[in-house]
Amino acid sequence: MPNLVIYIAVMAIVTYLIRVLPLTLIRKKITNVTLRSFLYYVPYVTLSVMTFPAILKATGSIYSGLAALIVCILLAWKGFSLTVVALSACVAVFVLNLFLL
């Protein structure tokens, strides 16, 4: 039990430092174009890296997950709303699992 408390405390300190150090160490505006571009895309890349495997593994089969991903990409590319894209992906998974798998 005491080790668990130490682990949680170390985790909290490290998490806090990761969030606070950039705010305290970088006081002026970042003017480097490459660094600004990198920092701009970090949230999108992080979200994609966390979401992509979950999409493929969310259904019982990787094929239905891949079908849902393809449907989502195509409909989002065409400019459909988030509701239409999500419902279409659900229908694609349902139909694929019902009739093919």
Side-chain angles (χ1 to χ4, degrees):
M1 183 67 177
N3 285 339
L4 181 64
V5 173
I6 292 171
Y7 295 151
I8 292 173
V10 169
M11 182 186 64
I13 291 169
V14 169
T15 303
Y16 182 75
L17 287 176
I18 289 172
R19 293 171 188 237
V20 169
L21 282 178
L23 292 174
T24 58
L25 296 178
I26 303 172
R27 299 236 178 216
K28 57 185 177 181
K29 185 176 180 178
I30 299 172
T31 57
N32 186 337
V33 176
T34 306
L35 184 60
R36 286 177 58 92
S37 176
F38 172 77
L39 292 174
Y40 177 79
Y41 287 110
V42 166
Y44 301 109
V45 171
T46 306
L47 183 62
S48 300
V49 167
M50 291 187 313
T51 305
F52 183 74
I55 291 171
L56 295 179
K57 295 178 182 178
T59 63
S61 168
I62 194 168
Y63 300 113
S64 59
L66 188 61
L69 179 64
I70 291 170
V71 167
C72 285
I73 290 172
L74 292 175
L75 292 179
W77 195 288
K78 293 286 186 180
F80 286 93
S81 70
L82 181 60
T83 305
V84 172
V85 171
L87 288 175
S88 300
C90 292
V91 169
V93 169
F94 178 74
V95 168
L96 195 63
N97 283 336
L98 187 64
F99 293 113
L100 299 178
L101 299 175

